[in-house]
Amino acid sequence: LGVADAMDTAQRGTGLRGPLARELIARSGAEAAAVGGALVCGAATDQLDPAGPWTLEEITAAYLEQVEWIVRCGATPVIMASRQLAATARGAEDYAEVYGTVLRQAGTPVLLHWLGAPFDPALHSYWGSPDPDTATETVLAIISEHSDRVAGIKMSLLDADREIALRRRLPDGVRMFTGDDFHYDTLILGDEHGGSDALLGVFDAVAATARCALARLDDGDRKGYARLLAPTVPLARHLFAAPTYAYKTGVVFLAWLNGHQDHFHLLGGAHGARSVPHLVRLFTLADEAGVLADPELAVHRMRAFLAVAGFEA
């Protein structure tokens, strides 16, 4: 597995602003270089004045500035959906203009990211239309025109059928990366026409299990893959339950339970976005999915959390 950083799971757009993202990308790039790891990082337009208004030229320049920094730090850029572009664009032609310029000037093949409204309501009608069929044609036209500059696209719409349909229409050499945290097990497994690669927030929570499952799949053991990964799906669906954008709370909670960090806090107080019963259920599902690396530590921290919340455990 590689690492994706400075994207929505890292609170991009919900607390992590452009200057801090720049530092995170630099630190992650240095760590990846030190261990020979694969790294992709999100390029957005969030260094712009949040009050706006913005021109298409300013949005394009902001994208290119971040792309250049990501490449300089040794990572592959993921062109994230831009709130500024969503608020400024008048139609599909404006998306084609901005993305076309970015792709021509990026200097390296990049990934695109179609982040749906469940993850960020500000991105409603991205690609210039509220109709997903029309939006699909727009993004496919952009990819087809610049297929030599697009290494792949991540789809985060929580719509498996739409992802499969677009996956089958992508130009040769352009990969589909699923961002569907509800159906990732079957989308990765694929069908007679192929499967999706993964660029998933939920893999942060289930990385060890996912690594083992994907190794089984690489060996042609489809049943072994499913046996390992299928139990993580109920956990994922709870993590990403509505409001979907609050999933980061659960991801960080599990990271804390597993000893990957020494606190349970997010930028902007987002650790309070989920209720105590929600997190209790998350703990149970994580145990059932076998993703608690150190059950004794997890139980100790869960009891401490409940005590602070006023519950006896």
Side-chain angles (χ1 to χ4, degrees), residues 37-128:
L39 177 68
V40 302
C41 291
T45 59
D46 50 355
Q47 73 269 49
L48 295 172
D49 183 347
W54 317 277
T55 66
L56 295 181
E57 291 76 14
E58 290 170 332
I59 293 168
T60 302
Y63 263 140
L64 288 169
E65 179 185 1
Q66 294 200 16
V67 166
E68 181 184 4
W69 179 251
I70 292 167
V71 173
R72 186 185 305 176
C73 293
T76 297
V78 181
I79 309 301
M80 297 183 65
S82 164
R83 287 181 172 182
Q84 289 75 16
L85 181 54
T88 303
R90 295 160 301 194
E93 62 281 355
D94 287 345
Y95 286 89
E97 177 183 337
V98 170
Y99 276 83
T101 303
V102 170
L103 290 170
R104 284 190 297 271
Q105 297 185 23
T108 186
V110 304
L111 304 180
L112 303 185
H113 187 192
W114 185 354
L115 188 67
F119 291 91
D120 188 346
L123 300 177
H124 179 68
S125 299
Y126 207 74
W127 305 114

Side-chain angles (χ1 to χ4, degrees), residues 116 225 244 260 294:
Y225 159 87
T244 302
H260 299 312
D294 183 341

Side-chain angles (χ1 to χ4, degrees), residues 92-177:
E93 62 281 355
D94 287 345
Y95 286 89
E97 177 183 337
V98 170
Y99 276 83
T101 303
V102 170
L103 290 170
R104 284 190 297 271
Q105 297 185 23
T108 186
V110 304
L111 304 180
L112 303 185
H113 187 192
W114 185 354
L115 188 67
F119 291 91
D120 188 346
L123 300 177
H124 179 68
S125 299
Y126 207 74
W127 305 114
S129 174
D131 176 27
D133 290 332
T134 302
T136 296
E137 295 305 319
T138 298
V139 71
L140 185 60
I142 292 172
I143 292 172
S144 297
E145 183 177 351
H146 305 281
S147 59
D148 60 328
R149 313 303 299 167
V150 179
I153 179 171
K154 172 182 176 178
M155 284 192 71
S156 300
L157 300 185
L158 304 181
D159 185 335
D161 291 339
R162 186 165 301 281
E163 177 178 319
I164 292 169
L166 179 56
R167 184 175 75 198
R168 292 177 179 176
R169 297 177 64 192
L170 290 175
D172 290 343
V174 178
R175 298 159 68 185
M176 172 61 74
F177 290 84

